[in-house]
Amino acid sequence: MNDALRGLERQLIHPGTKGLALQQPLRQNEIAALGLNVLDGRLSYPVAVLRQSTLDHNIAWMREFVERADALLAPHGKTTMSPQLFQAQLDAGAWAITLATVPQLRVAHRFGVKRVLLANQPVAMADIESLAALLREEADFHAWVLVDSSAGAARLNQVMQQMAPQRRLPVLVELGAQGGRSGVRGADAALELAREIHAASHLSLAGIEGYEGLWVGADRADDLRRVEDLLAQMVELTRRCDAQGLFDGEEILLSAGGSAYFDFVARAFAGLGDTSRPLRRVLRSGCYLTSDHGFYHGLQQEMRTRHDASFRHGLQPALEVWAMVQSRPEPGLALLTLGKRDASYDIDLPRPLSWHRPGETAPRPMRDTRIVKMNDQHAYLELPPEHPLRVGDLVATGISHPCTTFDKWPLMLLTDDHYRVTGAINTFF
Amino acid sequence: MNDALRGLERQLIHPGTKGLALQQPLRQNEIAALGLNVLDGRLSYPVAVLRQSTLDHNIAWMREFVERADALLAPHGKTTMSPQLFQAQLDAGAWAITLATVPQLRVAHRFGVKRVLLANQPVAMADIESLAALLREEADFHAWVLVDSSAGAARLNQVMQQMAPQRRLPVLVELGAQGGRSGVRGADAALELAREIHAASHLSLAGIEGYEGLWVGADRADDLRRVEDLLAQMVELTRRCDAQGLFDGEEILLSAGGSAYFDFVARAFAGLGDTSRPLRRVLRSGCYLTSDHGFYHGLQQEMRTRHDASFRHGLQPALEVWAMVQSRPEPGLALLTLGKRDASYDIDLPRPLSWHRPGETAPRPMRDTRIVKMNDQHAYLELPPEHPLRVGDLVATGISHPCTTFDKWPLMLLTDDHYRVTGAINTFF
């Protein structure tokens, strides 16, 4: 553990921190000693909790996956923006941490991450300068960035020349697809851009990148075709760049892989034969770490149907948000202390998993209930009129989309399998 | 300014703080001296900015509104969760700050707020204990809370008896409506609950509360009927409780008022005739402070049509989020550095207002463009193929729903009317 991470452990947590009903400030490393248990009803609710054993399972599962795929993992840090989770991923062999923006990259750097993949083209001059300053001052800090336009490449080259002329910034060309997000449209344009980068005085062409995770629509067959198309084009582009001697580094990076199709990515990348120098296949999944009870769970189930028994014990949901029943004003309605400030709502609303009355033995499954609406600070739970749920009972919910739940919790509690609070992690959004 | 607020001014802002492309830590009160201007393109984008003069205007406008309505303002702090903005509201005569949860209440207390209205029934025992501890230890700290069930009242009474027996907790009965959110259904049940509170050893019945802001659907005539119904029932309930001698304090509080119908609230509350003790009409609007360019702007326009010329110079949008063009990969598509981590998306997606090329004189209006989708860190801007917008240009966007934009910015920049950065405020979510 480095000094910055140790600093988090020692920092004061103030009353007002969600989930902990503190009366006095407390050092973060004193949380475990409070002897809290989510089921006791002695916390402030909502509270977001991460099950440590499930995190460990998912980390180990993904480590094994990338090893079998002869790939490297640069997990997308934007999902959690948590230095402690970055460290856990690095400790488990992650090659780098992926980030989406330069401010996120600076957070990772602040907490000791030495190798980052910026999975976007940085455009703000001040952002590029902030990155160049790190490269100038710290020889052991390494960053790779994406480029998808000549204008983008020119901005990077200009700042590097001015601020860090002793280093070349390694760049991956982002290949996009018509109707997609960023990324150069078409292999010929991408090849042209690769040539520009190769020729730029302060950039080096390090590899090829794409993001296949966008295609998750209603027509799954069409989605998969688009995914496979993009991956095939990336492989072909890598081959052509290599044949033309455009790669500048000692290795070639080939990177893709959200959390929906990393199995396809691994297979497609394995199809690239010999290259002039060692090939590094870099997967960037972020949501594998916690998975969820909604969108990513569904994608995982699909992935399992595509594979053999080795996928059976796949990724498991590690994140739950527990709320308390605040009112039951009508027989078929309960209001939970859970709102848009606490759980993701961009893909699905939270899903009730179980309920628990503090003092009783164990949570009971939550059947025939549904969260139908959320306000900023409330969830509307529809339930059968005869359901025994009452004011003060707890409801565990599963979320759909970790990224938009992590960003609502500056501090998240860790628990063991019995919901005993064993510690906390921080997020920096 | 109290010590806690001064502490914020002196705190270190670290590289990685969104909007500021810092290379080194900086004290917050040094931000103004950096001489930044949003239009220069020298920030990190996205950046959320609050225009100081518009905040001042809105604060003054609302102050005048509540004075004319013979009402008090307890602005809902959950909107911004910003201690500096709480203080500005209090300095402008706000009677209290409203909060939604006990953690939020503790944040307000930590930064010097002495009078809070908790516009919910607190249910977690640890939360109630946290509140009772403040009431026990600080004679000059005052809190009012809502109750909508006997179970809720019993929990409060029990904790107050154990922890702060020297004070009675002032309670407002929350009146709800069938199909609504929390709140007792029906005047008779509410009156019965008022009797229980009046009889409780450690609670006092301080008033009646309701929330009319829920009804903002497609059928505006129906919405307004429901709003007027609820308000009329609240007035009648207040009359009945008073006639039965149930109010315990020296005054009677009557509170409602989100940001959609506070004009109706003021009018309905004015209709309550003589009461046995002074009546305090408390409005709780939160979004008036910044308004917006979407949902609340529309509601404000409606409000203006209902009134005379005095509403002409109504509330103005004070909050903008500026993004940079990261890619323009297809003629009709630009990708902006703006995502679900940066701007609200629960009611509408951000609306492009203007665009600007750093170095040119002034922003130009943004016509015929639309943000059609956001990912976590990107916005998809559809625009005419011939539009000159290019990589590195800036786009100003207006948001729809301040509450879900503030919660994405731990630090927001203040600007003058020329977009010069004059300081910053903090939020605590």
Side-chain angles (χ1 to χ4, degrees), chain A residues 143-195:
Chain A
W144 289 257
V145 311
L146 306 189
V147 164
D148 75 352
S149 66
S150 298
R155 291 165 91 92
L156 289 171
N157 197 57
Q158 180 194 327
V159 175
M160 287 299 291
Q161 182 164 25
Q162 286 163 2
M163 288 190 58
Q166 80 285 15
R167 284 175 84 160
R168 282 176 163 231
L169 180 65
V171 165
L172 288 77
V173 167
E174 179 167 35
L175 183 65
Q178 201 65 24
R181 198 165 70 187
S182 46
V184 186
R185 302 304 195 247
D188 291 341
L191 196 68
E192 183 52 39
L193 182 59
R195 278 195 207 101

Side-chain angles (χ1 to χ4, degrees), chain A residues 29-97:
Chain A
N29 58 12
E30 296 168 337
I31 289 175
L34 295 175
L36 296 169
N37 187 309
V38 177
L39 303 182
D40 287 350
R42 306 298 307 167
L43 293 161
S44 176
Y45 303 84
V47 60
V49 296
L50 291 166
R51 194 189 295 240
Q52 183 71 59
S53 66
T54 311
L55 290 175
D56 296 344
H57 165 85
N58 290 346
I59 287 173
W61 189 96
M62 187 54 102
R63 177 182 201 149
E64 197 188 317
F65 179 89
V66 295
E67 278 173 5
R68 273 190 290 141
D70 192 18
L72 298 172
L73 185 63
H76 212 316
K78 63 127 189 185
T79 297
T80 72
M81 283 311 292
S82 171
Q84 294 96 341
L85 297 178
F86 294 171
Q87 191 59 51
Q89 291 171 310
L90 292 168
D91 289 346
W95 170 73
I97 300 292

